[in-house]
Amino acid sequence: MDKKHSGKIPVKHIIGFALSLILTIAAAWVALDSGLSDGWIIAGTLTMAVIQAAIQLFLFMHLTETEGVGHGPWNMMFHASIMVGIVVAGSLFTMIWAFDMGDMDMDSQHQNMQQEQMDHEMDDM
């Protein structure tokens, strides 16, 4: 029988799964029923997300195993984080730029409507 697949109970996996469940339930409670301010809800949820990601990476993705792997997992994680950063930054830039442009259009339309109303009122006098 293979050493890696003996009849042992995967204690690390069970602990990781339990911690993931606890963090998920805690994040749901913080978001839905804690009564905290929005800033604390966001900070708490992000903190729990980072902790849960670390648990997943180290307990389930075998980042601590180095036998025959080398720096592959760390290299993939680095490149994935660069890609995520580019996508998030691009999305935020697009949303903010589009919001500002849309807001300016609405302001100019509103000002034009007010000007037209004022012109009509002046003509009626």
Side-chain angles (χ1 to χ4, degrees):
M1 194 172 229
D2 191 8
K3 270 186 174 179
K4 289 184 179 180
H5 298 291
S6 63
K8 292 174 137 184
I9 297 173
V11 177
K12 288 172 79 176
H13 289 105
I14 293 171
I15 291 171
F17 181 68
L19 287 173
S20 293
L21 284 177
I22 290 168
L23 286 168
T24 300
I25 292 168
W29 175 80
V30 166
L32 299 174
D33 199 37
S34 68
L36 296 171
S37 68
D38 291 345
W40 283 108
I41 290 173
I42 292 170
T45 304
L46 285 175
T47 301
M48 287 185 269
V50 168
I51 293 169
Q52 188 165 357
I55 289 170
Q56 300 267 334
L57 287 171
F58 287 103
L59 294 180
F60 297 124
M61 302 300 286
H62 308 290
L63 282 184
T64 56
E65 294 179 7
T66 57
E67 190 175 312
V69 176
H71 297 292
W74 293 105
N75 196 11
M76 286 188 306
M77 212 166 61
F78 172 74
H79 287 95
S81 63
I82 295 296
M83 292 294 292
V84 166
I86 290 170
V87 168
V88 169
S91 298
L92 288 173
F93 174 77
T94 302
M95 288 186 288
I96 291 169
W97 183 74
F99 179 75
D100 284 345
M101 292 302 292
D103 191 32
M104 288 192 321
D105 289 342
M106 293 299 286
D107 285 343
S108 62
Q109 288 176 357
H110 184 66
Q111 289 174 353
N112 288 342
M113 288 175 53
Q114 284 181 338
Q115 185 64 36
E116 287 175 11
Q117 286 177 351
M118 289 174 63
D119 289 344
H120 287 290
E121 288 174 5
M122 294 298 277
D123 289 341
D124 290 341
M125 290 184 167

